[in-house]
């Protein structure tokens, strides 16, 4: 079918590349390009010998000219951006210059401000449309599958969705007192920011981790979860007609929260440069360097993730609720692709999203969030490629808990 240029060779890219190689009918040829070429070569060494032809390259994705040269040389049908959110715009610029489709799993965030939003990427809409190419934004799990779940719920079960709660539960245990499951810098920037949710057309801001709820997750059990701002809230608030409220909750264990708070209190999560022994260092980047590499957590993580969306709305004038979720087992993922479930649940949808564009199933020029496409073929592929989903038409709602459990509990 075609060729994909994959940028990045970290945790998520490793899974996506395994899956591209499994899906060799679509991915006949891939080029793995990243800052550290040895990581690309290691992945090639592991996966070579199948039907997909694999090449590797060194690229600094902050440099548009380098990217353009690489795209012109390899001539891919799509560029899969699995590097960091900081590289989104340079890669989009290179795609525009070469008229190549684009996809990513996280929205742009400037390196010097912990503020992510779609504004910068939505600004490319007209230029992508004119160039006749597609940019698929946010094709991981959340954002990604959560947007596909929302489009699917609206298409098949509701006339109008009024409330969405996205529940991201990681019931896994890696045995360390503190480690992050994906890039520590990105993860800590996300969870140490203020919480935010959307209600009746307005954004309501909370302190970090201010709102806590308990939930009993299928195949995982009872967990505490906290309201966070998450990027898909921004696009879903716009793309779901009639929506009254959308929130995002993520589970965290007490040990993770205690360590995070202590690190924050001593200034280790700051992105303000400081001078140390005559050298400028960014505390959060230093912290990243001493924390376990997320890729090393694979063999030691046990337990399951459960991520999904609970919808409440109307069908034929009647109230209706619907919960759709995926459960993923860390050890099963490790056995299959050598990574834990957090990378797996992101890498699989990245491959599927790219395949949707390459096969022409999703084919419209412009810049689109994932919920703007037909969800059906994507939902089918999730079942096929390792992320089967479960439906519950009578779910327990997030706020259906005793008042006591709903009280916000500040972590100091
Ligand atoms: P990693 O840190 O493991 O990998 C990032 C990769 O990008 C590394 O190979 C790194 O190279 C490479 N890279 C970084 N900067 C550059 C650059 N300037 N030029 C070329 N390559 C570069 O991150 P993850 O795999 O955990 O995450 C990848 C992406 O997925 C992130 O954007 C993250 O936000 C997103 N994500 C999305 C989720 C979702 O559900 N939507 C969930 C989890 C993650 P090097 O090896 O040299 O450092």
């Amino acid at each position: 079918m075609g060729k994909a240029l994959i940028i990045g060779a970290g945790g998520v890219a490793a899974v996506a590349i395994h899956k591209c190689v499994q899906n060799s009918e679509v991915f006949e040829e891939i080029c793995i390009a990243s800052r550290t070429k040895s990581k690309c070569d290691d992945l090639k060494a592991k996966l070579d010998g199948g039907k997909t032809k694999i090449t590797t390259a060194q690229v600094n994705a902050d440099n548009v000219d380098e990217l353009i040269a690489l795209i012109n040389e390899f001539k891919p049908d799509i560029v899969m951006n699995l590097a960091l959110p900081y590289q989104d715009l340079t890669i989009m610029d290179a795609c525009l210059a070469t008229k190549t489709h684009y996809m990513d799993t996280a929205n742009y965030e400037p390196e010097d401000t912990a503020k992510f939003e779609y504004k910068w990427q939505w600004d490319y809409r007209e230029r992508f449309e004119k160039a006749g190419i597609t940019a698929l934004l946010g094709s991981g799990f959340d954002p990604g599958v959560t947007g596909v779940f929302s489009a699917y719920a609206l298409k098949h079960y509701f006339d109008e969705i009024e409330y969405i709660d996205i529940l991201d539960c990681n019931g896994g245990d890696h045995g360390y007192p503190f480690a992050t499951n994906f890039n520590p810098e990105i993860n800590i920037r996300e969870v140490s920011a203020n919480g935010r949710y959307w209600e009746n057309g307005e954004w309501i801001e909370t302190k970090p981790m201010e709102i806590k709820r308990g939930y009993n997750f299928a195949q995982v059990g009872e967990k505490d979860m906290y309201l966070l701002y998450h990027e898909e809230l921004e696009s879903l608030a716009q793309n779901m007609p009639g929506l009254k409220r959308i929130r995002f909750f993520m589970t965290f264990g007490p040990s993770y929260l205690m360590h995070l708070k202590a690190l924050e209190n001593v200034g280790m999560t700051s992105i303000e440069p400081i001078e140390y022994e005559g050298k400028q260092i960014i505390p959060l980047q230093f912290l990243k360097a001493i924390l376990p590499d997320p890729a090393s957590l694979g063999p030691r993580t046990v337990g399951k993730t459960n991520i999904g969306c609970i919808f409440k709305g109307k069908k034929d004038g009647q109230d209706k609720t619907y919960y759709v979720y995926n459960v993923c087992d860390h050890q099963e993922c490790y056995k299959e692709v050598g990574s834990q479930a957090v990378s797996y649940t992101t890498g699989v949808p990245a491959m599927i999203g790219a395949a949707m564009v390459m096969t022409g199933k999703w084919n419209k020029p412009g810049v689109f969030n994932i919920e703007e496409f037909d969800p059906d073929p994507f939902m089918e592929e999730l079942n096929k490629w390792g992320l089967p989903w479960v439906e519950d038409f009578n779910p327990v709602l997030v706020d259906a808990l005793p008042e006591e459990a709903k009280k916000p509990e500040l972590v100091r």
Side-chain angles (χ1 to χ4, degrees):
M1 172 76 56
K3 291 168 59 162
L5 170 61
I6 298 165
I7 300 188
V12 172
V15 175
I17 292 162
H18 269 86
K19 288 288 164 178
C20 289
V21 169
Q22 286 178 15
N23 191 4
S24 58
E25 247 174 61
V26 173
F27 296 88
E28 282 173 339
E29 209 176 322
I30 58 173
C31 173
I32 313 167
S34 192
R35 186 166 53 188
T36 313
K37 186 168 176 283
S38 59
K39 289 192 189 170
C40 310
D41 293 333
D42 289 349
L43 283 165
K44 175 178 156 70
K46 250 191 230 161
L47 290 164
D48 240 355
K51 285 190 185 143
T52 304
K53 182 177 170 203
I54 306 173
T55 52
T56 62
Q58 202 275 330
V59 76
N60 173 9
D62 294 322
N63 184 317
V64 181
D65 292 334
E66 268 189 41
L67 288 165
I68 292 177
L70 178 61
I71 295 173
N72 280 335
E73 194 192 323
F74 182 62
K75 298 194 174 17
D77 300 291
I78 190 166
V79 177
M80 297 170 64
N81 171 13
L82 304 177
L84 297 177
Y86 319 131
Q87 280 83 48
D88 288 4
L89 302 187
T90 44
I91 300 177
M92 286 178 84
D93 284 333
C95 283
L96 263 179
T98 54
K99 293 200 176 4
T100 312
H101 299 308
Y102 167 91
M103 60 108 358
D104 65 30
T105 65
N107 70 7
Y108 176 67
E109 178 169 348
E111 205 155 355
D112 55 357
T113 346
K115 182 167 177 56
F116 48 88
E117 55 183 316
Y118 279 115
K119 179 185 78 189
W120 292 285
Q121 292 181 277
W122 285 345
D123 277 351
Y124 283 71
R125 278 173 177 154
E126 226 180 273
R127 281 174 282 163
F128 267 70
E129 202 183 329
K130 274 200 187 123
I133 50 172
T134 303
L136 167 61
L137 305 186
S139 189
F141 206 104
D142 43 346
V145 176
T146 52
V148 175
F149 282 169
S150 301
Y152 187 77
L154 184 64
K155 181 173 175 184
H156 295 284
Y157 299 122
F158 290 90
D159 295 326
E160 200 166 80
I161 294 176
E162 294 167 319
Y163 300 96
I164 305 178
D165 280 329
I166 301 170
L167 273 48
D168 179 334
C169 164
N170 182 1
D173 183 4
H174 45 56
Y176 288 118
F178 185 80
T180 63
N181 294 296
F182 68 98
N183 186 292
E185 194 185 332
I186 306 294
N187 179 239
I188 291 172
R189 281 164 74 125
E190 180 174 273
V191 302
S192 52
N194 278 346
R196 206 174 349 148
Y197 64 100
W198 188 86
E199 187 160 32
N200 297 324
E202 276 180 40
W203 290 105
I204 296 160
E205 194 148 310
T206 72
K207 296 208 176 69
M209 310 285 176
E210 185 181 349
I211 295 182
K212 173 186 171 186
R213 297 280 189 274
Y215 200 80
N216 194 1
F217 289 92
Q219 295 187 50
V220 175
E222 189 76 40
K223 291 274 168 200
D224 284 338
M225 57 185 192
Y226 297 82
L227 185 143
L228 291 189
Y229 178 64
H230 221 242
E231 61 195 65
E232 67 264 50
L233 302 185
E234 186 185 6
S235 68
L236 286 168
Q238 291 198 12
N239 291 329
M240 291 285 120
L243 194 67
K244 290 186 178 152
R245 189 186 66 204
I246 180 163
R247 305 181 295 186
F248 181 97
F249 292 91
M250 193 180 268
T251 62
F252 296 102
S255 174
Y256 179 93
L257 290 177
M258 183 184 74
H259 282 80
L260 183 66
K261 204 65 215 166
L263 290 166
E264 243 170 44
N265 284 344
V266 298
M268 279 304 294
T269 59
S270 167
I271 57 169
E272 289 299 319
I274 57 153
E275 191 160 314
Y276 177 72
E277 293 190 343
K279 226 182 141 197
Q280 291 275 313
I281 62 164
I282 293 173
L284 182 55
Q285 286 178 0
F286 176 73
L287 176 61
K288 178 186 173 209
I290 54 174
L291 284 174
D293 178 357
S296 70
L297 301 179
R300 40 187 302 147
T301 306
V302 293
K304 291 175 180 173
T305 60
N306 175 328
I307 321 176
C309 307
I310 302 178
F311 303 95
K312 192 165 175 264
K314 296 265 189 305
K315 180 73 181 174
D316 302 326
Q318 302 285 313
D319 284 342
K320 181 165 182 152
T321 56
Y322 171 63
Y323 185 15
V324 54
Y325 58 88
N326 161 263
V327 175
C328 201
D329 185 300
H330 286 289
Q331 282 296 303
E332 293 296 317
C333 296
Y334 188 71
K335 265 187 242 150
E336 187 196 325
V337 299
S339 305
Q340 31 81 1
V342 175
S343 301
Y344 190 90
T345 51
T346 312
V348 172
M351 179 284 283
I352 297 174
M356 289 289 116
V357 177
M358 286 168 77
T359 54
K361 285 185 182 145
W362 285 359
N363 177 14
K364 45 184 179 181
V367 175
F368 299 98
N369 291 93
I370 201 161
E371 65 272 16
E372 295 178 85
F373 291 98
D374 178 11
D376 292 358
F378 198 104
M379 291 292 274
E380 263 174 46
E381 298 284 297
L382 284 172
N383 285 331
K384 184 166 161 194
W385 296 111
L387 294 177
W389 34 278
V390 181
E391 297 180 300
D392 179 350
F393 291 90
N394 190 21
V396 174
L397 300 180
V398 168
D399 298 302
L401 290 164
E403 275 311 302
E404 205 39 41
K406 283 197 275 178
K407 274 199 193 137
E409 190 180 288
L410 286 175
V411 183
R412 285 181 213 284

